[in-house]
Amino acid sequence: MTESHTRTFPPDFVWGSATASYQIEGGVREGGRTPSIWDTFSHTPGKVLAGDTGDVACDHYHRVTEDLDLMAGLGLNAYRFSVSWSRVQPTGRGPAVQSGLDFYRDLADGLLERGITPVLTLYHWDLPQELEDAGGWPERETALRFADYAHLVGEALGDRVQMWTTLNEPWCSSSLGYGSGVHAPGRTEPESVLRSAHHLNLGHGLATQALRSVLPAGGQVSITLNPAAVRPRSDSAADVNAARRIDALQNRIYTGPLLQGAYPEDLLQDTARVSDWSFVKDGDTRIIHQPLDSLGINYYCPTLVSATAPGKAATRNDGHGASAHSPWVACDDIEFHQYPGPLTEMGWSIDPTGLTELLMRFHREAPGLPLYITENGAAFDDKPDANGAVHDPDRISYVHGHLAAVHQAMEQGADVRGYFLWSLLDNFEWAYGYSKRFGMVHVDFDSLQRTPKSSAQWYSGVIKNGELPAQV
Ligand code: IFM
């Protein structure tokens, strides 16, 4: 990747990396932790590639000090991690378990001691199984339980963690968990996609209120979405309409109530044959529409759609896994396409322009709201060479291109405050198990040895200099 000039970031720009509890921790039966929906799902034959589970993952639970030293060595100034709900509140109800809270308190302290800002996500998809047994996110009760959990964790860790995120990518929880079923809990119920999306939104609003009631001054509350830059394949009215419908289901179903305090009318109409939305109660959208301190954006690739030609069955290649069931409610007549050009190991196209596009959209639609790229990165088939070194030039090029895209948005006025590379470590990539490597640090899943890849050294240099070189 070559650019004409070096790009300098503001001195207070936050340079971080991100992980999530079930993807790295292991230690699934320790300290009173009970199963989450991902324990159940990954132990169900046929759900995860090669029968992989998060039982051991990167064994981060036992290797926290090593991982903290790794982060410090790379010069990260922030680390985004998530809390395993069933580790701190085993059944999703009642009091917290001290050992669970201690694990995250020690992690936060270890970060602070090394000058790394802890950025805590309360929910990255690992719902306590007991709450799923009671109905899961399609039930309103789960949103109330989430608020109690947020209160417990906020009270315990608010003295050392300032940056809080309620949910990570609620679209994946609702659409992949309850629509296509490729994620836990593996249900395939179109109306549950809408019900769970609403209860995740409501859970966010209630959790935000709970956090604000316990966090000391300076505590910041955010939510991380995975908005899509949805593009029509042509400018025909049918393709443009297809893009509008997917935009409603992936983006505006969240940003509508979060940022404007209402669900978009077109979304309600598009999905009317599946649901009357009577699960939205009076006052809910007011609860969801809480002031935010920032918005987290996870970006990997853009989405290209078209209307299905009359008489032709729609094929779905939306990059979200193979399933006979669609995560897209009432969209059987919409096709997803891959862009020509380079792909990552996930089959996702490499197109940083989508990131600039999204940042400019939020700059317009949520003026004054600081933005963070809370995830961006790529999976490649990284292997150690004969000397044990791991060279990953494709990842360097990917991150270089996307950081340039962030910088371009900032030049055009977007208030972007930080960037978190996904991911610190190779880890459990959900339904793909350990087959996809997103880490800037290689993990040998037999020995659990960590080896920083060349991208880690490169990113470390970017952080140290606060600037993106013209060339990689
Ligand atoms: O690994 C995931 C992460 O858990 C959520 N965002 C996308 C990543 C890559 O698929």
Side-chain angles (χ1 to χ4, degrees):
M1 167 77 57
T2 307
E3 286 217 309
S4 55
H5 62 288
T6 299
R7 293 179 176 274
T8 305
F9 285 77
D12 56 353
F13 193 77
V14 175
W15 298 100
S17 185
T19 63
S21 47
Y22 191 71
Q23 294 183 270
I24 66 162
E25 282 180 7
V28 292
R29 279 174 277 278
E30 297 194 41
R33 182 186 179 280
T34 57
S36 75
I37 53 176
W38 268 99
D39 295 275
T40 308
F41 190 76
S42 65
H43 279 270
T44 306
K47 297 296 185 192
V48 174
L49 201 70
D52 289 344
T53 73
D55 286 5
V56 177
C58 305
D59 199 29
H60 171 74
Y61 187 73
H62 298 111
R63 293 166 196 251
V64 177
T65 308
E66 180 184 351
D67 291 340
L68 286 165
D69 289 343
L70 200 54
M71 291 182 235
L74 295 174
L76 295 185
N77 47 55
Y79 174 57
R80 175 176 179 254
F81 62 95
S82 77
V83 171
S84 158
W85 187 343
S86 62
R87 199 183 283 294
V88 305
Q89 194 191 30
T91 61
R93 294 186 171 83
V97 163
Q98 195 55 43
S99 59
L101 289 175
D102 286 348
F103 174 73
Y104 296 105
R105 189 178 280 132
D106 292 349
L107 172 62
D109 285 347
L111 290 165
L112 293 167
E113 278 158 22
R114 290 165 179 80
I116 302 170
T117 301
V119 180
L120 184 155
T121 299
L122 284 166
Y123 186 74
H124 196 124
W125 308 352
D126 40 2
L127 185 71
Q129 182 60 44
E130 290 207 23
L131 294 185
E132 172 56 27
D133 294 343
W137 285 109
E139 295 305 318
R140 191 177 181 86
E141 173 71 9
T142 305
L144 310 184
R145 299 282 60 79
F146 183 60
D148 283 357
Y149 157 67
H151 193 275
L152 287 179
V153 184
E155 206 165 39
L157 301 185
D159 56 350
R160 55 204 81 200
V161 176
Q162 272 204 325
M163 295 183 72
W164 293 75
T165 304
T166 54
L167 304 172
N168 177 74
E169 300 183 359
W171 182 86
C172 293
S173 298
S174 63
S175 299
L176 303 182
Y178 295 96
S180 63
V182 298
H183 278 191
R187 286 162 59 180
T188 53
E189 306 157 6
E191 198 196 10
S192 294
V193 170
L194 306 175
R195 292 178 66 95
S196 57
H198 176 62
H199 295 135
L200 283 152
N201 281 333
L202 183 63
H204 157 80
L206 293 168
T208 302
Q209 291 176 333
L211 286 173
R212 296 225 189 268
S213 74
V214 290
L215 293 185
Q220 296 177 34
V221 184
S222 177
I223 182 170
T224 279
L225 303 177
N226 56 328
V230 189
R231 297 164 177 171
R233 194 167 62 157
S234 78
D235 55 12
S236 74
D239 287 358
V240 170
N241 194 42
R244 177 196 60 73
R245 284 161 60 197
I246 296 302
D247 179 64
L249 283 165
Q250 173 125 21
N251 300 332
R252 291 180 290 118
I253 191 170
Y254 300 103
T255 57
L258 284 169
L259 303 177
Q260 269 98 44
Y263 284 101
E265 264 314 309
D266 61 330
L267 168 73
L268 306 184
Q269 280 166 23
D270 291 344
T271 56
R273 70 179 154 94
V274 172
S275 177
D276 62 5
W277 288 74
S278 54
F279 48 82
V280 180
K281 305 295 179 205
D282 277 355
D284 282 3
T285 48
R286 219 176 16 241
I287 294 171
I288 300 167
H289 188 207
Q290 298 291 314
L292 290 169
D293 295 302
S294 65
L295 180 67
I297 294 172
N298 292 354
Y299 174 82
Y300 291 88
C301 62
T303 302
L304 185 64
V305 299
S306 70
T308 312
K312 185 172 172 269
T315 52
R316 190 168 55 77
N317 177 13
D318 59 8
H320 294 293
S323 165
H325 304 271
S326 175
W328 306 103
V329 177
C331 288
D332 307 341
D333 53 347
I334 294 179
E335 301 219 39
F336 290 76
H337 306 272
Q338 215 161 37
Y339 275 95
L343 303 176
T344 69
E345 195 60 20
M346 295 295 282
W348 296 346
S349 63
I350 300 177
D351 183 352
T353 64
L355 181 51
T356 313
E357 186 180 317
L358 281 171
L359 290 169
M360 295 317 293
R361 174 175 178 174
F362 285 110
H363 174 58
R364 279 192 311 276
E365 293 182 1
L369 185 63
L371 306 172
Y372 286 87
I373 312 304
T374 37
E375 284 182 28
N376 175 242
F380 291 109
D381 187 18
D382 311 312
K383 293 191 175 72
D385 67 13
N387 301 317
V390 185
H391 296 293
D392 56 344
D394 291 341
R395 180 169 294 99
I396 295 176
S397 166
Y398 180 98
V399 176
H400 186 278
H402 287 76
L403 278 172
V406 172
H407 197 265
Q408 277 167 18
M410 293 167 76
E411 283 174 336
Q412 294 169 50
D415 184 7
V416 187
R417 303 281 178 95
Y419 175 92
F420 292 78
L421 198 154
W422 185 270
S423 179
L424 176 68
L425 304 169
D426 289 337
N427 59 45
F428 177 80
E429 177 53 26
W430 309 113
Y432 297 93
Y434 297 99
S435 69
K436 308 289 181 205
R437 294 182 175 273
F438 274 92
M440 61 171 154
V441 174
H442 181 272
V443 177
D444 177 321
F445 289 109
D446 293 322
S447 67
L448 296 167
Q449 188 185 329
R450 278 89 161 124
T451 307
K453 303 176 189 176
S454 42
S455 60
Q457 313 300 354
W458 176 84
Y459 188 50
S460 180
V462 172
I463 297 173
K464 188 159 159 250
N465 301 324
E467 62 182 31
L468 191 64
Q471 288 194 339
V472 290

